[in-house]
């Protein structure tokens, strides 16, 4: 399909999907299954695509010794661009300071607490009975309660009831104010706040632990189990090995290589078919996700509430993808940005709608090979690897999110902690699978490395699905730029 027609189709799909899901969440949810069909179709071809593309790509190099320099260049590209993006993220979040909010009430609410200045209360036997106000959340032992008019604080034991008549049982008061425990008192004004962040958790994770986890994840104990679980990294290891060995076998290896070449061609034809479904699939995915978020009226207030944080993440992603990567592409890939971006846009829009680098991989390969002239051998090697370990967007987001969580909790991070965040965010991005919200899970590593509370994740949960799409788009963009640059060096080396 022509790129402009495809693109027009996808953009129409996105606009229609956003309007449908945004204005009518129920209708969005109703078409969700069409989007899932699209993702499932893509996921169905990912595993065979990786195996066939990698093996056939590697064998096209002819000499397995050429893989060393290619691997090294690829690694250098991945690490440098990821490091640049984390640095951009850290610089921005320190500059913008999204965790510092205007008022104390805002700060408390951002932490998940609530300020009820006018609520009256009465106390009986350590139980606060709230009159005339209902609490929006569940408040358990990780919260404290403050009686505003008396300036007495207590730890919460439990919270019962809903919609009026709510009670809060206090575990202990920090001050024996007029023997509150025995007296029945009444008053006005209640604040419920998250307890100060527990900075020193029992279980500490060092960078070596994290490295060890990434390394052990490279080798499958059972290849088919890894394939069945869509665990890409071990499958890449196996394909690399098999491709390298096949290329040394001579006549004996030839029929097997031919088989994988043929399989690769066939899979790419299936990817072509998937392109036809892209506009509808992408539109349905957007409609479905907006529907799940309660339409525009459900999503926009959340986005505004966390606006400064979302702005920081998005600004970082834009700087990295629209300034830093294009400069690298121009300088090292000798390629102009406009046409390249235009040619890659079907993959980028698919990344935005699926929030999965792995599911997008078939389209990333197609755009690179068919439209951006990247040779199949480079694309076959660089792109599957990139979809799993090269995640510039995720690394940037992890750094921003972790520092934001620290800021909201009133914790200042010193230079050594920022260095740890830099290293662990890079590792956490490498370790994140190319699936939706994987970055949110691996962020636990970063939080633990600097002893921040993992519950902090709940602060950013509400809009993570949206930021996930933005960062996945940048992940795929970084992979595509990398494939083009590395391909140039491969071609230069061959001409020598
Ligand atoms: N969804 C992202 C990806 O597939 C990973 C993440 O959650 O950051 O690239």
């Amino acid at each position: 399909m022509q790129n402009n027609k495809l693109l027009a189709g996808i953009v129409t799909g996105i606009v229609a999907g956003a309007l449908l899901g945004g204005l009518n969440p129920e209708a969005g949810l109703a078409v969700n299954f069409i989007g899932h069909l699209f993702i499932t179709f893509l996921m169905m071809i990912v595993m065979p695509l990786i195996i066939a593309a990698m093996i056939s790509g590697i064998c096209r190099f002819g000499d397995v010794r050429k893989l060393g320099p290619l691997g090294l260049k690829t690694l250098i590209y991945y690490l440098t661009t990821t490091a640049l993006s984390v640095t951009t993220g850290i610089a921005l979040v320190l500059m913008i300071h999204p965790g510092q909010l205007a008022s104390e009430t805002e700060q408390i609410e951002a932490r998940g607490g609530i300020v009820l200045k006018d609520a009256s209360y009465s106390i009986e036997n350590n139980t606060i009975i709230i009159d005339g106000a209902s609490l929006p959340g569940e408040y358990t032992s990780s919260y404290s309660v403050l009686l505003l008019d008396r300036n007495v604080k207590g730890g919460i034991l439990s919270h019962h009831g809903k919609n009026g008549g709510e009670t809060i049982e206090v575990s202990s008061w920090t001050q024996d104010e007029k023997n509150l425990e025995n007296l029945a008192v009444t008053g006005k004004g209640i604040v419920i706040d998250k307890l100060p962040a527990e900075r020193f958790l029992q279980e500490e994770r060092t960078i070596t632990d994290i490295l060890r986890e990434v390394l052990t994840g490279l080798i499958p104990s059972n290849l088919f189990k890894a394939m069945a679980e869509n665990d890409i990294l071990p499958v890449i290891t196996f394909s690399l090995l098999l491709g390298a060995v096949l290329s040394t076998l001579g006549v004996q290896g030839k029929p097997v290589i031919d088989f994988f070449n043929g399989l690769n061609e066939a899979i790419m034809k299936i990817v072509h078919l998937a392109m036809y479904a892209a506009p509808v699939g992408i539109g349905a995915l957007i409609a479905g996700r907006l529907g799940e978020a309660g339409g525009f009226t459900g999503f926009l207030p959340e986005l505004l509430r966390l606006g400064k944080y979302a702005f920081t993440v998005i600004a970082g992603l834009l700087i990295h993808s629209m300034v830093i990567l294009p400069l690298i592409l121009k300088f090292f890939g000798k390629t102009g940005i406009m046409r390249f971006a235009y040619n890659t846009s079907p993959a980028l829009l698919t990344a935005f709608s699926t929030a999965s680098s792995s599911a997008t991989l078939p389209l990333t390969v197609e755009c690179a090979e068919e439209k951006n002239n990247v040779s199949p051998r480079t694309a076959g090697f660089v792109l599957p690897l990139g979809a799993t370990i090269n995640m510039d967007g995720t690394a940037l987001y992890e750094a921003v999110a972790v520092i934001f969580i620290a800021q909201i909790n009133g914790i200042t991070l010193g230079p050594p902690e920022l260095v740890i965040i830099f290293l662990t965010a890079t590792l956490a991005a490498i370790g994140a699978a190319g699936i939706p919200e994987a970055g949110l899970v691996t962020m636990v590593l970063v939080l633990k490395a600097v002893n921040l509370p993992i519950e902090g994740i709940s602060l950013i949960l509400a809009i993570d699905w949206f930021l996930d799409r933005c960062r996945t788009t940048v992940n795929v963009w970084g992979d595509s730029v990398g494939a083009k640059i590395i391909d140039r060096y491969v071609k230069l080396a061959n001409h020598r």
Side-chain angles (χ1 to χ4, degrees):
M1 201 193 301
Q2 273 177 336
N3 210 29
N4 51 2
K5 279 200 191 134
L6 177 65
L7 214 58
I10 295 179
V11 172
T12 315
I14 289 182
V15 174
L19 288 177
L20 184 72
L23 300 174
N24 187 345
E26 307 244 307
L29 285 174
V31 297
N32 207 6
F33 78 98
I34 302 176
H36 276 279
L37 270 179
F38 180 60
I39 291 205
T40 319
F41 187 85
L42 291 177
M43 286 313 285
M44 174 183 80
I45 39 183
V46 162
M47 279 295 159
L49 173 96
I50 291 173
I51 298 176
M54 286 205 102
I55 294 179
S56 117
I58 288 165
C59 292
R60 272 178 226 219
F61 278 95
D63 184 348
V64 76
R65 275 168 302 184
K66 286 186 188 158
L67 273 184
L70 170 70
L72 189 69
K73 281 182 196 113
T74 310
L75 222 59
I76 293 176
Y77 171 82
Y78 288 169
L79 288 178
T80 325
T81 49
T82 307
L84 283 172
S85 88
V86 180
T87 313
T88 309
I90 293 181
L92 274 185
V93 71
L94 292 179
M95 252 158 44
I96 299 175
H97 223 296
Q100 197 176 44
L101 300 167
S103 68
E104 201 178 346
T105 304
E106 270 182 321
Q107 190 94 18
I108 290 170
E109 283 173 356
R111 284 197 285 260
I114 174 138
V115 178
L116 299 166
K117 283 204 179 87
D118 299 320
S120 9
Y121 65 84
S122 52
I123 300 179
E124 273 170 38
N125 296 332
N126 268 0
T127 300
I128 306 173
I129 303 150
I130 302 166
D131 301 322
S134 69
L135 303 177
E138 288 276 334
Y139 304 99
T140 48
S141 55
S142 52
Y143 289 87
S144 66
V145 59
L146 169 74
L147 304 176
L148 267 180
D149 52 348
R150 286 160 201 273
N151 201 19
V152 180
K153 223 176 177 175
I156 294 185
L157 184 68
S158 57
H159 165 206
H160 299 283
K162 268 262 140 247
N163 304 324
E166 286 179 75
T167 59
I168 287 175
E169 209 179 331
V170 176
S171 52
S172 62
W173 298 100
T174 50
Q175 198 178 331
D176 199 357
E177 161 88 0
K178 291 195 195 108
N179 208 353
L180 269 171
E181 293 183 22
N182 303 323
L183 274 178
V185 291
T186 54
K188 200 169 158 197
I190 287 184
V191 174
I192 294 180
D193 195 3
K194 193 104 190 169
L195 283 175
E198 207 34 92
R199 290 219 56 202
F200 297 99
L201 300 167
Q202 312 283 323
E203 192 195 335
E204 284 196 22
R205 249 160 117 160
T206 59
I207 293 183
T208 355
D209 289 336
I210 302 168
L211 249 175
R212 201 179 304 137
E213 269 169 39
V214 172
L215 286 179
T216 29
L218 283 177
I219 302 175
S221 60
N222 180 331
L223 177 70
F224 294 96
K225 183 164 170 264
M227 281 165 65
E229 288 172 354
N230 275 330
D231 198 355
I232 289 182
L233 219 45
V235 177
I236 287 181
T237 314
F238 175 78
S239 312
L240 269 173
L241 214 61
L242 186 60
V245 171
L246 278 175
S247 69
T248 64
L249 281 190
V251 264
Q252 253 187 328
K254 185 150 185 317
V256 188
I257 297 174
D258 285 344
F259 165 78
F260 281 114
N261 283 340
L263 183 63
N264 191 31
E265 285 297 315
I267 301 278
M268 289 318 290
K269 287 269 174 330
I270 300 182
V271 177
H272 253 86
L273 287 180
M275 297 275 233
Y276 285 98
V280 175
I282 288 175
L285 278 171
I286 302 273
R289 195 56 191 84
L290 264 173
E292 245 173 76
F296 291 136
T297 45
F299 168 59
L300 291 178
E302 288 293 352
L303 189 63
L304 287 179
R305 188 172 67 83
L306 290 164
K308 233 170 150 188
Y309 157 69
F311 170 79
T312 314
V313 174
I314 292 171
L317 293 176
L318 286 176
I319 293 176
H320 187 70
S321 56
M322 296 175 95
V323 181
I324 298 177
L325 287 178
L327 283 175
I328 296 179
L329 180 68
K330 184 87 208 148
F331 198 72
F332 295 100
K334 301 282 177 239
T335 304
I337 185 66
M338 294 316 269
R339 168 102 344 226
F340 186 82
Y342 176 72
N343 288 343
T344 317
S345 45
L348 299 178
L349 294 171
T350 307
F352 184 79
S353 67
T354 59
S356 166
S357 304
S358 305
T360 310
L361 184 61
L363 278 95
T364 319
V365 174
E366 159 94 13
C367 291
E369 290 181 5
E370 301 288 318
K371 311 216 164 77
N372 281 326
N373 246 334
V374 175
S375 66
R377 56 184 177 179
T378 316
F381 179 82
V382 175
L383 291 175
L385 205 58
T388 12
I389 66 174
N390 182 43
M391 296 199 178
D392 297 0
T394 302
L396 183 146
Y397 143 85
E398 305 233 1
V400 172
V402 166
I403 298 174
F404 170 73
I405 289 172
Q407 290 174 347
I408 282 275
N409 283 294
I411 295 167
T412 318
L413 300 166
E417 283 162 316
L418 292 178
V419 172
I420 294 181
I421 290 182
F422 172 85
L423 292 173
T424 48
T426 307
L427 271 180
I430 293 175
I435 53 172
E437 314 234 337
L440 197 67
V441 180
T442 59
M443 197 163 75
V444 173
L445 303 181
V446 191
L447 286 168
K448 280 191 172 177
V450 283
N451 297 318
L452 283 168
I454 20 184
E455 305 83 65
I457 289 184
S458 59
L459 297 175
I460 53 171
L461 214 56
I463 57 161
D464 196 68
W465 67 269
F466 179 69
L467 295 181
D468 188 13
R469 276 141 214 272
C470 303
R471 65 186 187 252
T472 308
T473 311
V474 176
N475 291 345
V476 169
W477 178 229
D479 297 340
S480 307
V481 170
K484 184 71 190 169
I485 293 174
I486 291 157
D487 193 46
R488 176 168 170 261
Y489 283 103
V490 168
K491 284 175 179 157
L492 282 178
N494 278 350
H495 283 304
R496 251 184 240 138

